[in-house]
Amino acid sequence: RPVQITLFDLAGQRVAVLAQGPRGRGVHTVQWNGRDEDGRRVASGVYWYRLEAGNRLYARKLLLLR
């Protein structure tokens, strides 16, 4: 089943794609290094991540503290 996890700032701008591609059933872990797609460190604060798995869509808040 294809999965994509995308991270957005509060303005709705895409920060990074954390995971993309097929994943099997079960528990998976994704770690974010606090950098955007260009490798720049992002500021502490609240971000949104969006998880798309098959035909399901979830959105949750994420707090980055440095």
Side-chain angles (χ1 to χ4, degrees), residues 12-25:
Q13 300 296 313
R14 186 173 79 185
V15 174
V17 175
L18 303 180
Q20 188 172 14
R23 300 285 193 272
R25 291 180 182 224

Side-chain angles (χ1 to χ4, degrees), residues 20-63:
Q20 188 172 14
R23 300 285 193 272
R25 291 180 182 224
V27 177
H28 300 276
T29 302
V30 175
Q31 291 186 342
W32 177 43
N33 61 5
R35 296 184 182 273
D36 66 11
E37 290 180 321
D38 296 323
R40 297 179 298 232
R41 289 179 62 167
V42 299
S44 294
V46 178
Y47 293 85
W48 285 94
Y49 68 88
R50 187 170 103 172
L51 167 62
E52 296 175 68
N55 60 354
R56 295 178 186 229
L57 177 66
Y58 304 92
R60 301 285 188 271
K61 285 189 219 178
L62 167 74
L63 177 62

